Amino acid sequence: MGAYILRRLLLVIPTLLGIMLVNFALTQFVPGGPIEQIIARVQGEGDSLRNIAGGGDQQGQQGGDQGGYQGARGIPPEMLAQLEVDMGFARITCAPGFTGTPDVRDPACTKEPISAPERFLIMIGDYLRFDFGKSFFHNKSVIELVQEKMPVSITLGLWSTILAYLISIPLGIRKAIKDGTPFDTWTSGTIIVAYAIPGFLFAVMLMVLFAGGSYWKIFPLRGLTSDNFDSLSTMGKALDYLWHATLPVIAMTISSFATMTLLTKNSFLDEINKQYVMTARAKGLTERRVLYGHVFRNAMLIVIAGFPATFLGVFFGASIIVETIFSLDGLGLLGFQAAVERNYPVIFGTLYVFGLISLVVGILSDLMYVFVDPRIDFERRAG
């Protein structure tokens, strides 16, 4: 097993590099860029340059050349040149013997564009040291932003996954036992409808029904805590958090719950029809002993072992829509805003981190299979 894990870990490096290379190359063809966003802000807000403070010292975490800015009237050319340098699209080179501070306004210094391949190599070199630079528009490092937003997304994803398992496993087992009965029929219809409803539409429906949209105002509309959260008792904080998290968690659970229920049912049906189950029944074992003593372990292998991947799917898949709709300040909303603003350090930094997490979770899923059923030997199969 050790050799198998080592091979998988070694595959993480080229896979992650491929992911980063493809996404970096795609950004070269996307119109606009961070400097165009800054120009638009300056022209639309007048003093929005204050939002760009601290955006320097970025090396190679961007995509797309930023030459020939249209509509940049009123912005000094030296300021645009300095922005290119600060964002890593260009570097300042000065004449031999120059002893001052490199500045685009100094006649002895010139601005030299950095090619896309070189920016990519610089970016990967920084990322291998887990140096993700600073956001263009937040005056914070990417790591700080991720640390601020991650608790919201992790708690939503974790609660949604746990809720999906708590509902899906008992319901799936019951459906397998009652296969073909009216119970199985109407629950299957309900599950199919739940799976067919888009996540964003279900979230809006929950808001309309239960958050004061048009009917009842039972749950809050936005945020994960109330304004007086700090003054509440420990129990009050827990209840306040659950009160705020109810609708977002339900909205994130709906699709994964449907998939997990059908997966559990089909897995149990597949095991129930096998020869060892018929043998156990022939020996006089009770149906409960057969079901939970023999069938359960084999049937639940794929369901339990898939927990890491399921959590990751819920964490990434539904968080963007749900966090945006319910105004939750998590990673999903951060990623959406970064894409709109062309905030390349945040885009590529989070892509690198979560791409690495996804690949490691794939290895953990295999280890979960072995933990649930030690008879599985990936190393022998690979050989």
Side-chain angles (χ1 to χ4, degrees):
M1 190 65 185
Y4 172 78
I5 295 175
L6 180 60
R7 286 196 299 270
R8 289 293 301 273
L9 288 174
L10 291 176
L11 283 173
V12 166
I13 299 174
T15 304
L16 188 58
L17 286 176
I19 293 172
M20 298 301 298
L21 178 60
V22 170
N23 284 273
F24 184 88
L26 289 175
T27 60
Q28 309 306 306
F29 304 100
V30 177
I35 295 183
E36 282 80 358
Q37 295 293 322
I38 293 173
I39 292 172
R41 289 190 177 200
V42 171
Q43 292 180 336
E45 302 176 12
D47 61 345
S48 62
L49 275 178
R50 290 180 298 180
N51 299 327
I52 317 302
D57 298 329
Q58 306 299 323
Q59 293 186 347
Q61 299 163 352
Q62 305 82 19
D65 292 329
Q66 302 294 321
Y69 307 106
Q70 300 296 323
R73 291 174 299 176
I75 301 178
E78 59 270 15
M79 179 178 291
L80 290 177
Q82 187 61 48
L83 284 174
E84 290 186 67
V85 173
D86 292 341
M87 292 184 174
F89 296 109
R91 64 168 63 92
I92 299 176
T93 57
C94 299
F98 181 81
T99 57
T101 302
D103 194 320
V104 294
R105 293 169 295 184
D106 195 306
C109 299
T110 58
K111 183 192 70 172
E112 175 186 339
I114 302 177
S115 65
E118 185 179 356
R119 291 201 306 273
F120 178 76
L121 292 176
I122 295 174
M123 178 185 74
I124 293 300
D126 290 339
Y127 285 6
L128 290 176
R129 301 192 305 269
F130 288 92
D131 177 11
F132 303 108
K134 297 178 69 174
S135 167
F136 291 154
F137 301 97
H138 295 87
N139 195 23
K140 292 181 180 179
S141 69
V142 174
I143 291 295
E144 289 177 328
L145 285 174
V146 170
Q147 289 175 342
E148 287 180 5
K149 315 298 184 181
M150 185 174 285
V152 174
S153 298
I154 286 182
T155 53
L156 290 178
L158 187 60
W159 281 116
S160 299
T161 305
I162 292 175
L163 182 61
Y165 270 77
L166 290 177
I167 296 174
S168 301
I169 292 177
L171 181 58
I173 295 174
R174 187 68 176 174
K175 284 175 63 60
I177 297 174
K178 298 291 185 179
D179 184 44
T181 64
F183 173 81
D184 180 46
T185 302
W186 71 262
T187 52
S188 294
T190 304
I191 289 171
I192 292 172
V193 171
Y195 184 76
I197 298 176
F200 74 91
L201 184 60
F202 189 71
V204 172
M205 183 180 70
L206 290 176
M207 292 178 62
V208 171
L209 291 176
F210 303 111
S214 300
Y215 296 90
W216 306 281
K217 187 173 177 54
I218 302 175
F219 298 99
L221 183 61
R222 62 184 66 235
L224 278 180
T225 57
S226 300
D227 294 336
N228 63 336
F229 181 79
D230 293 333
S231 62
L232 298 175
S233 62
T234 303
M235 180 60 68
K237 289 181 178 179
L239 293 176
D240 182 74
Y241 170 79
L242 293 175
W243 182 48
H244 282 77
T246 298
L247 294 187
V249 168
I250 292 175
M252 294 178 67
T253 303
I254 188 69
S255 60
S256 58
F257 143 75
T259 304
M260 191 63 60
T261 301
L262 294 178
L263 178 63
T264 303
K265 176 194 172 182
N266 293 333
S267 182
F268 264 79
L269 283 177
D270 184 57
E271 292 295 325
I272 287 174
N273 294 324
K274 289 185 176 179
Q275 184 65 41
Y276 76 89
V277 176
M278 299 175 62
T279 302
R281 287 171 175 166
K283 289 181 178 180
L285 297 179
T286 63
E287 190 66 21
R288 183 177 182 84
R289 178 70 181 277
V290 171
L291 185 63
Y292 293 100
H294 293 75
V295 175
F296 185 83
R297 180 176 180 178
N298 295 326
M300 292 306 297
L301 173 62
I302 189 173
V303 178
I304 296 176
F307 180 87
T310 302
F311 167 69
L312 207 63
V314 173
F315 180 74
F316 288 124
S319 61
I320 296 177
I321 297 174
V322 171
E323 288 178 14
T324 303
I325 291 177
F326 288 99
S327 300
L328 303 176
D329 196 15
L331 291 173
L333 187 59
L334 175 66
F336 173 76
Q337 292 174 342
V340 171
E341 296 172 341
R342 306 294 194 271
N343 198 342
Y344 294 129
V346 175
I347 294 174
F348 290 122
T350 54
L351 177 66
Y352 181 87
V353 171
F354 296 123
L356 181 61
I357 292 175
S358 300
L359 294 172
V360 173
V361 165
I363 300 175
L364 293 178
S365 296
D366 289 347
L367 295 179
M368 284 288 290
Y369 278 104
V370 177
F371 176 77
V372 174
D373 189 349
R375 296 172 297 175
I376 295 177
D377 188 347
F378 286 105
E379 186 171 348
R380 186 173 59 186
R381 292 185 179 186

